[in-house]
Amino acid sequence: MSAGGGTGGELAELAAQEERLVFDAFGHDDAWRLGSLLVELARDRGAAVTVEIRRGAQQLFHFALEGTSADNDAWLARKCAVVERYAESSFRVGARFRAKGSTFEESSRLDPDRYAAHGGAFPIRLRGTGVVGAVAVSGLPQAEDHALVVEALERFLAG
């Protein structure tokens, strides 16, 4: 998945991920297990990332691996704000703007200090309810942040 173009195929793939990666329930223990899985995957790859899981306004999981900084926390807040506003992954929102020949920053009319449509934040969607939170990673190039979250969600939901 490229960080660039935002093609129709890419947008369809991103939408399909969100349709497929849906929870039946999501509680505090789920956040701990999913967050721990993300940390383990990042460590296995030697990736310096910060991981955050939110449900509504509550932070349920946060861990910063060695090599990260407070800048990663700021990115997480901005990416999660996009998920909260659009109920879609931050990567998908950014890809949609790129597909129209623009950027989120140029065309969304939202404060870039509060919102970042860069890959890495993914909606926690409950079947029959909708989006209740976000799982997010910051520290890699945006397509890699997104792919890491998707891989963790796929593994987690597979059992």
Side-chain angles (χ1 to χ4, degrees):
M1 190 163 315
S2 75
T7 66
E10 179 184 42
L11 289 171
E13 179 184 342
L14 295 169
Q17 289 171 349
E18 291 177 31
E19 290 171 18
R20 185 176 76 251
L21 300 172
V22 177
F23 292 82
D24 291 319
F26 192 83
H28 293 248
D29 288 340
D30 297 309
W32 172 258
R33 288 192 304 274
L34 177 58
S36 297
L37 174 59
L38 271 162
V39 169
E40 179 185 328
L41 291 172
R43 280 189 170 141
D44 288 348
R45 293 173 171 104
V49 299
T50 301
V51 177
E52 178 169 306
I53 300 176
R54 303 189 67 78
R55 190 177 63 198
Q58 186 178 21
Q59 183 182 69
L60 299 181
F61 185 95
H62 184 89
F63 190 85
L65 282 106
E66 193 70 38
T68 60
S69 72
D71 287 345
N72 298 105
D73 295 331
W75 275 101
L76 288 169
R78 293 166 56 220
K79 292 178 190 184
C80 287
V82 167
V83 171
E84 182 178 314
R85 184 174 186 104
Y86 290 89
E88 297 176 350
S89 75
S90 55
F91 197 56
R92 181 179 176 191
V93 172
R96 189 181 312 93
F97 280 90
R98 290 188 299 275
K100 293 177 183 174
S102 184
T103 67
F104 178 81
E105 294 78 12
E106 291 169 342
S107 300
S108 71
R109 302 177 57 94
L110 295 173
D111 182 352
D113 289 335
R114 293 192 52 218
Y115 297 92
H118 292 257
F122 199 94
I124 296 171
R125 187 179 316 272
L126 294 184
R127 200 172 322 283
T129 300
V131 176
V132 298
V135 53
V137 168
S138 173
L140 301 170
Q142 66 171 328
E144 293 176 39
D145 275 349
H146 178 83
L148 182 61
V149 172
V150 168
E151 179 182 347
L153 286 167
E154 287 170 340
R155 288 186 186 201
F156 184 88
L157 289 167

